């Protein structure tokens, strides 16, 4: 019986199929992550088969992976998963392929090595010269003690040693200065190289897809998943031109997912997918009644407190900790495909722009600030809600500063401050007097507020300017305390006092004009009121 010799080991190259490209086609950017959608055209064979697609971001969340097949013949996705592989970094490129920046870094390192060796030699030479000078001084001392006198030789040797120490010391200082300059230049080049020459990612992900097709033919794959390291925030640009205002809505998008978004359909959402939707737990709140003491029945304890006038809407957002959407998830879409590199930097994406009529007002609340601010009011004609965010302010003279835009629903009025006016000055003076009536035992507190408003005009200005002054008056919540405006003592009387106690004057100032506004009001309390 004969046996066939064993087959020699195969030396043919690997025939593993190349992964099928799975580009990003649509992105829904959430507050702190992104929902990625990918599409690919597949050529399926009949039966069960496993396909390898990618590469994809290794940061993709596995449990959110979802795949769908669309084909003219029955096709089913049996399994989909992300497989990550650790790819070691390849060897450094040859010298000819290096960039000019790398060549400069290499030259600096070589020069630094040479200078460090030169510095060590100079330090050794100076150390030897120091010991030589010490030996020479000891010889001079011993010779002078024994009666020898060789002054010319001693002076000549000391001069030679001092001259060499000065020469080598100066060379050492020059070498150390050059080393410090090279260290600074090397640091700048390394930072520039880190920003401009990014190394490839070591952790790479691929999608392994197992499908079953009843017949061979083309199919379309749609795959989606969540990815961290991506976020967005709203930003605006307001251009004021006379009585019209143009507001540009943009999105600042950051992403460091490990891959670039090129020509994708971008959707921006304020949904918070990571926030739990469980209702808050109800805690027990006990209310008890107790009889008032005799002292409490005889007196009414009041206190003066300050409250911010609020209206319907969300609380203001300080800085940019999150997206203020008014408590309802908002969705905005970019009008055209966009590209966002995965470099972690901020990229502006235009969303909408509209131009509408604006009403300007020069307003001042001297109790809060002595500045006269230009306030512009307009209606939101963007067709979507304006989320809270920073806004760049542009006037006739160009960029004038940066402000903050509060949340505004579609069609709602919007107020936007365009900065203060340097040619106006407001000085506030307040005084208070107390008086007690013996018969009625009432306490009367009279407060007088004087507002001095002045305008500094440049030569050639002839138009008058309307400035709106606002000053607040306390509002009583108990019948034992009354607040009365003394209109006969006001100069002039307020044009309007609203229900919140805000007094308003419309003051017209000519160029170089000055006006003084006086407000007088009384707080009257019964004798049993304490704390006023």
């Amino acid at each position: 019986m004969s046996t066939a010799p064993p087959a020699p080991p195969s030396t043919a190259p690997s025939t593993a199929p190349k992964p099928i490209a799975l580009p990003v086609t649509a992105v829904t950017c959430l507050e702190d992550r992104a929902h990625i959608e990918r599409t690919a055209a597949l050529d399926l064979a009949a039966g069960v088969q496993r396909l390898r697609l990618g590469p994809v971001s290794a940061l993709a969340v596995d449990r959110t992976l979802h795949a769908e097949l669309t084909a003219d013949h029955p096709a089913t996705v049996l399994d989909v998963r992300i497989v990550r592989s650790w790819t070691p970094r390849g060897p450094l490129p040859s010298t000819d392929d290096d960039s000019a920046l790398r060549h400069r870094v290499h030259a600096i390192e070589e020069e630094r090595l040479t200078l460090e060796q030169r510095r060590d030699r100079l330090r050794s030479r100076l150390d030897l010269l120091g010991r030589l000078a010490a030996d020479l001084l000891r010889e001079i001392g011993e010779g002078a003690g024994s009666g020898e006198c060789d002054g010319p030789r001693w002076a000549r040797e000391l001069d030679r040693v001092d001259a060499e120490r000065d020469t080598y010391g100066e060379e050492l200082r020059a070498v150390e200065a050059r080393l410090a300059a090279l260290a600074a230049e090397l640091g700048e080049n390394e930072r520039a190289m880190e920003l401009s020459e990014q190394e490839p990612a070591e952790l790479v992900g691929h999608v392994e897809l197992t499908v079953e097709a009843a017949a061979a033919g083309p199919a379309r794959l749609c795959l989606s998943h969540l990815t961290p390291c991506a976020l967005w925030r709203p930003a605006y640009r307001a251009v004021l031109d006379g009585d019209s205002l143009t507001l540009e809505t943009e999105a600042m998008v950051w992403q460091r997912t490990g891959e670039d978004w090129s020509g994708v359909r971008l959707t921006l959402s304020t949904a918070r997918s990571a926030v739990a939707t469980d209702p808050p737990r109800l805690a027990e709140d006990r209310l008890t009644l107790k009889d008032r003491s005799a002292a409490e029945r005889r007196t009414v304890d009041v206190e003066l407190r300050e409250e911010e006038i609020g209206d319907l809407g969300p609380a203001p957002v300080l800085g940019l900790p999150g997206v203020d959407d008014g408590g309802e998830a908002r969705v905005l879409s970019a009008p055209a495909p966009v590209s966002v590199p995965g470099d972690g930097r901020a990229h502006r994406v235009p969303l909408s722009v509209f131009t509408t009529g604006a009403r300007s007002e020069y307003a001042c609340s001297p109790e809060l600030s002595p500045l006269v601010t230009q306030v512009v009011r307009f209606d939101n004609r963007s067709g979507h809600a304006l989320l809270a965010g920073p806004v760049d302010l542009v006037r006739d003279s160009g960029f004038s500063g940066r402000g903050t835009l509060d949340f505004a629903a579609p069609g709602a009025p919007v107020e936007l401050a365009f900065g203060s006016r340097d040619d106006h000055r407001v000085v506030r003076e307040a005084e208070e007097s107390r008086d007690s009536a013996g018969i009625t035992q009432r306490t009367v507190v009279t407060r007088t507020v004087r507002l001095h408003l002045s305008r500094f005009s440049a030569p050639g200005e002839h138009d008058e300017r309307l400035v709106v002054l606002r000053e607040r008056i306390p509002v009583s919540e108990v019948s034992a305390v009354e607040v009365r405006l003394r209109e006969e003592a006001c100069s002039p009387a307020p044009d309007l006092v609203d229900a919140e106690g805000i007094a308003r004057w419309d003051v017209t100032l000519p160029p170089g004009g000055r006006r003084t506004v006086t407000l007088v009001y009384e707080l009257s309390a019964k004798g049993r009121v304490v704390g006023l």
Side-chain angles (χ1 to χ4, degrees):
M1 181 177 65
S2 62
T3 58
S10 175
T11 60
S14 175
T15 59
K18 183 179 179 180
I20 303 173
L22 195 61
V24 178
T25 56
V27 175
T28 301
C29 198
L30 306 176
E31 185 180 9
D32 59 350
R33 64 201 63 202
H35 184 265
I36 308 295
E37 296 182 11
R38 307 170 184 268
T39 59
L42 305 179
D43 189 8
L44 301 179
V48 178
Q49 55 191 303
R50 176 175 294 178
L51 304 176
R52 183 177 176 87
L53 305 99
V56 299
S57 172
L59 300 177
V61 182
D62 297 75
R63 60 185 177 84
T64 63
L65 197 63
H66 178 71
E68 291 184 358
L69 276 178
T70 304
D72 296 335
H73 50 84
T76 307
V77 176
L78 301 180
D79 182 43
V80 59
R81 65 183 64 186
I82 296 180
V83 178
R84 297 169 178 85
S85 59
W86 182 265
T87 304
R89 299 187 186 277
L92 295 176
S94 62
T95 306
D96 297 337
D97 297 336
D98 282 348
S99 62
L101 195 58
R102 287 188 177 272
H103 281 292
R104 180 55 185 164
V105 170
H106 182 67
I108 292 175
E109 291 177 346
E110 287 185 346
E111 185 179 357
R112 185 177 64 173
L113 179 61
T114 304
L115 289 176
E116 288 177 349
Q117 296 174 354
R118 175 65 176 167
R119 180 190 59 187
D120 295 340
R121 289 194 297 269
L122 288 173
R123 287 177 176 175
S124 300
R125 181 66 61 87
L126 287 174
D127 185 52
L128 290 175
L129 289 174
R131 290 200 296 269
L132 177 60
D135 294 341
L136 184 58
L137 291 175
R138 185 173 60 255
E139 179 186 352
I140 293 173
E142 293 175 354
S146 62
E148 297 180 5
C149 183
D150 193 1
R153 185 179 66 83
W154 291 343
R156 186 172 58 254
E157 292 295 333
L158 286 175
D159 291 341
R160 182 179 63 83
V161 171
D162 290 340
E164 290 186 4
R165 292 178 69 181
D166 292 342
T167 301
Y168 291 124
E170 188 64 30
E171 290 185 10
L172 179 61
R173 285 190 290 272
V175 169
E176 290 178 345
R178 179 58 181 166
L179 281 173
L182 287 178
E185 185 180 356
L186 180 62
E188 293 178 359
N189 290 336
E190 287 179 347
R191 286 191 294 270
M193 191 165 57
E194 181 182 358
L195 295 175
S196 60
E197 300 182 5
Q198 295 183 355
E199 298 179 347
E202 295 180 344
L203 189 60
V204 181
H206 289 82
V207 176
E208 286 191 355
L209 182 69
T210 304
V211 298
E212 181 180 6
R220 177 182 175 84
L221 172 67
C222 294
L223 187 139
S224 62
H225 59 84
L226 282 178
T227 302
C229 300
L231 71 156
W232 78 282
R233 295 294 185 270
Y236 304 92
R237 185 173 184 267
V239 181
L240 182 62
D241 184 10
D243 295 335
S244 66
L245 182 134
T246 302
L247 186 66
E248 302 174 5
T249 304
E250 298 175 327
M252 304 294 293
V253 182
W254 298 263
Q255 69 104 351
R256 195 78 181 229
T257 60
E259 56 185 343
D260 297 338
W261 301 341
S262 302
V264 301
R265 301 189 310 273
L266 182 63
T267 303
L268 306 165
S269 174
T270 63
R272 296 167 177 84
S273 57
V275 178
T277 57
D278 296 336
R281 294 183 176 274
L282 298 179
E284 183 177 345
D285 188 7
R286 260 180 210 281
L287 300 179
T288 58
L289 299 177
K290 68 175 184 178
D291 294 335
R292 292 189 300 169
S293 62
E296 291 175 343
R297 287 194 294 269
R298 286 194 304 267
T299 61
V300 178
D301 192 3
V302 298
E303 63 178 3
L304 184 64
R305 69 175 187 271
E306 297 183 359
E307 290 188 359
E308 183 178 356
I309 300 176
D311 52 6
L312 296 179
V317 176
L318 301 178
L320 288 177
V323 181
D324 181 7
D325 55 6
E328 180 182 352
R330 311 283 177 169
V331 178
L332 305 176
S333 300
V338 300
S339 297
V340 181
D343 53 7
R345 299 182 181 181
H347 297 273
R348 287 182 174 265
V349 177
L351 297 180
S352 65
V353 58
F354 71 93
T355 302
T356 183
R359 303 172 300 279
S360 295
E361 175 185 282
Y362 295 94
C364 179
S365 299
E367 188 177 3
L368 301 178
S369 173
L371 302 177
V372 175
T373 304
Q374 183 181 7
V375 180
V376 177
R377 293 180 174 85
F378 59 94
D379 295 333
N380 178 17
R381 303 298 183 188
S382 62
H384 57 80
L386 299 178
L387 309 180
V391 51
D392 295 334
L393 306 175
V394 181
R395 285 191 283 200
D396 298 337
S397 58
F399 178 78
S400 59
R402 175 169 294 179
T404 302
L405 191 67
D406 296 331
F407 175 86
V414 183
E415 289 188 2
L416 186 59
F418 261 79
S420 60
R421 302 288 302 187
D422 297 335
D423 53 352
H424 288 73
R425 182 181 180 185
V426 180
V427 178
R428 182 178 184 270
E429 298 177 352
E431 59 184 30
E432 179 179 309
S433 63
R434 287 178 175 268
D435 187 16
S436 298
I439 300 178
T440 59
Q441 295 184 350
R442 297 183 67 89
T443 300
V444 180
V445 179
T446 304
R447 291 179 181 173
T448 303
V449 179
R450 294 183 179 87
L451 308 176
H452 305 281
L453 177 63
S454 57
R455 176 185 175 187
F456 305 94
S457 302
E461 290 188 5
H462 304 288
D463 58 328
E464 294 184 343
R465 183 167 295 166
L466 181 65
V467 179
V468 178
L469 291 178
R470 290 181 174 88
E471 184 71 24
R472 61 177 179 172
I473 300 174
V475 177
S476 176
E477 297 179 345
V478 294
S479 59
V481 179
E482 297 179 357
V483 180
R484 184 176 70 89
L485 176 65
R486 295 179 53 183
E487 296 187 4
E488 69 281 359
C490 296
S491 176
D495 297 328
L496 177 66
V497 179
D498 60 15
E500 303 293 343
I502 304 299
R504 166 176 172 165
W505 293 266
D506 295 336
V507 181
T508 303
L509 280 181
R514 297 181 179 180
R515 291 286 302 274
T516 298
V517 175
T518 304
L519 173 66
V520 181
Y521 61 90
E522 292 180 349
L523 283 81
S524 177
K526 296 181 179 180
R528 59 193 185 97
V529 173
V530 296
L532 184 62

